[in-house]
Amino acid sequence: MNKNVLYALRNILRNKANSVITVAGLSVAFACLILIFLYVTQEFSYNNFHVNANNIFRVNYSVKWANGNVNESALLNPELSQVLKDKVPQVKRCTAFRSAQKQTMSFEHQNLEETLCITEPDFFKMFSFKVLYGNPDQFLKSPNELVITKNLANKLCTIGKCGIEDLLGKTVSFMNSGDQPFVISGILDNVPKNSTLQFSALIPYKYERKFLNFEQLLRQFHHLLSNKRKQQYNEH
């Protein structure tokens, strides 16, 4: 075996250029393989942390025009949420969810730019975002409630010079909400990077008209939790 090793080393030394090219090629190939593996693993891990991941579906619709073109979208009228719960037995829970993009939040006379989303109480019963403080069964049931993430809570703690738990009951406001204060009723752990829903703060749907323009108000994202299997709804 030692002779074979020595023989291989002699060949490498005799053909240095070819050896360097071969080793470099193998290194690049292995590096690409590892990167592809990590990328695929990351993609398939999206939303798997939700306990009910296999029973949560996004409602889509398609429109077929007279010329044969088909448009597909996941943006629907917000009233569909209640209709699905009332009319479709397979739907256990349903929530509308919409991002209001970056909004200016005011706390203790200081402003922050945060990703604000609007949703409904069922959101916290469908998705498994970890609750650090507060009662998820009561989140957003009052019209002026606000639920924030740990990252945002840490920023507010720095401004207010208080502990995270002390933020419960404190108020913040948004530039688009005028003088309407929002009471912090819950704090979630940071949203995982492999979540398709990203946000810093959540507020009730009552304030949709203050944060969304007219076109956005007509169509909203909807997610539903099915008891049995995926249902498909098409609008023509």
Side-chain angles (χ1 to χ4, degrees), residues 63-76:
V63 177
K64 186 174 182 179
W65 302 100
N67 60 7
N69 292 335
V70 177
N71 290 341
E72 296 183 352
S73 178
L75 295 171
L76 298 157

Side-chain angles (χ1 to χ4, degrees), residues 60 230-234:
N60 301 323
K230 185 175 182 180
Q231 304 291 324
Q232 293 182 335
Y233 303 92
N234 296 316

Side-chain angles (χ1 to χ4, degrees), residues 209-226:
R209 294 184 181 276
K210 292 183 179 292
F211 294 96
L212 303 179
N213 59 39
F214 180 73
E215 291 183 359
Q216 290 174 319
L217 288 172
L218 295 179
R219 302 182 298 174
Q220 313 290 329
F221 281 113
H222 279 75
H223 290 78
L224 61 89
L225 176 60
S226 174

Side-chain angles (χ1 to χ4, degrees), residues 186-232:
I187 300 174
L188 307 179
D189 202 356
N190 295 329
V191 178
K193 292 182 179 180
N194 61 341
S195 170
T196 54
L197 305 179
Q198 296 290 329
F199 55 86
S200 298
L202 298 167
I203 60 172
Y205 246 90
K206 174 182 177 181
Y207 299 95
E208 59 177 337
R209 294 184 181 276
K210 292 183 179 292
F211 294 96
L212 303 179
N213 59 39
F214 180 73
E215 291 183 359
Q216 290 174 319
L217 288 172
L218 295 179
R219 302 182 298 174
Q220 313 290 329
F221 281 113
H222 279 75
H223 290 78
L224 61 89
L225 176 60
S226 174
N227 283 331
K228 297 179 180 179
R229 56 190 172 82
K230 185 175 182 180
Q231 304 291 324
Q232 293 182 335

Side-chain angles (χ1 to χ4, degrees), residues 63-121:
V63 177
K64 186 174 182 179
W65 302 100
N67 60 7
N69 292 335
V70 177
N71 290 341
E72 296 183 352
S73 178
L75 295 171
L76 298 157
N77 191 300
E79 295 179 358
L80 179 63
S81 179
Q82 190 60 46
V83 172
L84 288 175
K85 286 187 283 188
D86 293 340
K87 302 294 184 181
V88 184
Q90 292 84 356
V91 176
K92 184 178 179 181
R93 302 186 189 282
C94 185
T95 183
F97 180 91
R98 181 71 180 182
S99 174
Q101 308 301 326
K102 291 286 186 179
Q103 296 290 333
T104 302
M105 172 189 288
S106 178
F107 179 70
E108 299 289 341
H109 307 293
Q110 292 195 38
N111 294 336
L112 303 88
E113 293 290 326
E114 298 295 335
T115 302
L116 176 69
C117 292
I118 56 176
T119 189
E120 298 171 304

Side-chain angles (χ1 to χ4, degrees), residues 105-107 146 156 170-174 177 180-184:
M105 172 189 288
S106 178
F107 179 70
L146 173 75
L156 299 182
K170 291 187 178 296
T171 60
V172 302
S173 61
F174 293 91
S177 66
Q180 172 63 52
F182 288 87
V183 180
I184 300 174

